[in-house]
Amino acid sequence: MLEAFSDNFINQYQMIKSQSYIAHVRKTDKQQQTVAVHLQEVAEIAKTLAAKINVPEAGELIGLLHDFGKYSASFQNYIQSGTGLLNPDMDAGYVDAVALKGKIDHSTAGGQLIWEMLAKYGKNGEGRLCGQILALCIASHHSGLIDCLTPDGINGFKKRIEKDDDNSHLAECKQNADVHIKEKAQHLADKQLVSAMRGELKVLIGGIQHEQIKSFYIGFWTRFLFSCLIDADRINSADFERPQQAAYRNKAVSWDIAINRLELFLTEQQVHDTPINTIRRTISDTCKNRAQDAQGIYTLTVPTGGGKTYASLRYALHHAKTHGLERIIYVIPYTSIIEQNAEAIRKVVEQEGDQYPWVLEHHSNLEPENQTWHSKLAAENWDAPIVLTTMVQFLETLFSGGTRGVRRLHQLANSVIIFDEIQTLPINCTHLFCNALNFLSAHTKTTAVLCTATQPLLDQLKSPEKGQLLIPEKNHLIEDVRQLFDQLKRVEISNKTKSEGWSEEEIAELALSKFKVKGNCLVIVNTKAWAQALYVKCSDSVDRESLFHLSTNQCSAHRNELFHRMRARLGAKLPVLCFSTQLIEAGVDIDFASVIRFLAGLDSIAQAAGRCNRNGRLDTATVHVVNPTQETIDQLVDIKVGCDKTKRVFSEVKDKALLDPENMELYFKYYFYERADQMAYPLTAKEVGRDDTLLNLLSDNKFNTGANAALHLKQSFMTAGNAFKAIDAPTQSVIVPYQQGKQLITELCGIAKEFDAASYYTCLKQAQKYSVNVFPNVWKKLREQNAVYEIQPGEGVYCLDERYYSKEFGLSSELVSKAEADIL
């Protein structure tokens, strides 16, 4: 009894002391944000965001209850202790906030309350389905979506929603909560909400024949709602900490401004009237005219050098204006192309004096998943008119675990998404990607355009019951693709492969001979080792000013400087011999007289051809395809299978143009057929306890032994999210000391000692250009040699010792010589 009296006294004492329940305390001035204010403000934001899928009240309700657990005395003592509002020597109820960080559950109570309110409605479990969806969003808002069914068959949702009151504090929170919060929640959580959600879900799966796709759609719809809640919560929390940044959010977009600037730019470009520019203008005009069409999924199949960047931008701007859309998102395979395209787009649509930037680049892997204030404030949520991001970032937004990526998902609604070089989509993500894009197109006012010279057959997959793109025949923006390819044909493919293969000496001799005859030559290889070996092999025969090496071991600022120098030399008709990995072949605007390509997929060979006689200055030009004698590509499955299928096409179409659209289609049929069993993202027993697929985990979960659990949603969301990796071998990003990168490292280290969010944010954005993504085996070597160090423990931002960066080859896992390291 005495213990109960003591606890009650402490609770009352605390409530009298604070006068209200606290959600956040601002670090700079100790200003308090009450739980009630936070819940109401998050509810308003989430309501607006959830309107994108026609359920604003659902968004409002989960926003209103997401932090309901903060009404508990345990949380109040924790936050007041952690922010200095309680004195450890004087105040009763003081707790060790550091020790309790992450251990006081304030997300379950709101989920339990929603389940309690909604589960009772409906004769056929409609209320239970809606209750599960909303409760799941709330209960998961700090961890990422939890497993409804765990891999070992446990009903994870039931376990969470039936958490004992001693840990969830639901009864106490009901008693303590502000009356108007409880009344508003009760008003929202009624039959009407269940009816509205049920109606939207009925539309969502209407006409879908396959149960797996139906389940995927409902799970993805849940993820979309979750995105609305996460972003609303993060926005409100960040803007409370830094009120001045709120003024920069949700700026109204006037597409007319950007359209007028682009049209003026294109008019000025007409003075350079060459045959290729005339064809490019026709493609651009076609895109503008088709921008008036209805929303949907479209293809833009244009040969390399056909002006896809400005043609697709023209389409996107006019389409966004026609349909009242919010943003344009470019999804691009490589950071090098992002920077090139961003520069090209900025040159057109941004002008000095603009109140806000039109273009946002987002391709950093520097942000840690841990939701510290540092990373919260540094994170992007794609709130800009034109966003350029990588395919990796896009796929992580769709499928990754945690909360960092998913907060951007709702921004894909009311948008035009341009997929540049869509053929680079990871093969294991094919069905997942198709289902997600079909969902966005059909239910969130999203238009998608698949751009490439080598269009993959994403609407003609071997297993359509697992999901394939729905592209009507009329949705091909360029109707006569064959005629266009004939008009833009500038190169021939010379198949120089031979049974015994080409030695290093022979390849170097071929490169040097083409270099001497043509004045310049580009050699594209499949591995970094070959690029470096050939560069070294030819270094005694070519002066250093003419010799170039490119690989992803160099940071993008380093590569951009090399591109700039090469373009300048090529433009001045000075000699250039470049050895590069495949990073140069997709979308890079550069024009060589001769290209040598290691055997690879036919799509890669076509992309390499786009760097040869790109602007049609020569009457004839040739891409020579060679096969090296020794090449370690067994682990590079995409390249290995691509080589095999290219050989097959070579053997079947010897007397035809290898890069004709029909031959490319033949290649993709062979390639996709060979890899059909990898398209649902296969998982091993080591990863999830049994052989499974990510598609299954995110849909009906039919292989789960607990699949007969009384649940409407059976997805293993968290297991799937943790297993998902947009690239096969996840990389670690490290900032390298190349030129300005050295200064940024110094600045970041200084900021880390006395943290300033604005400076940290600015430095991280600048450091994107000076970072290299490192694979696990190389990362292990660097760590063992103490060649990398963390700026601040726990933040996940690493820097490279300058002794491990070469001016010729970039990042090295071994010490480089002083001459090689002398890069400034």
Side-chain angles (χ1 to χ4, degrees), residues 531-564:
Q532 191 165 328
L534 289 170
Y535 176 92
V536 172
K537 189 77 175 176
C538 294
S539 59
D540 291 335
S541 305
V542 179
D543 71 272
R544 289 303 175 96
E545 289 299 309
S546 304
L547 190 62
F548 292 83
H549 166 276
L550 289 168
S551 85
T552 53
N553 278 344
Q554 298 155 320
C555 67
S556 62
H558 192 169
R559 296 196 304 267
N560 285 343
E561 183 193 344
L562 295 173
F563 280 133
H564 179 76

Side-chain angles (χ1 to χ4, degrees), residues 576-595:
V576 174
L577 176 58
C578 177
F579 297 97
S580 175
T581 61
Q582 56 266 45
L583 69 85
I584 199 173
E585 68 187 13
V588 176
D589 186 8
I590 200 161
D591 190 353
F592 281 85
S594 180
V595 170

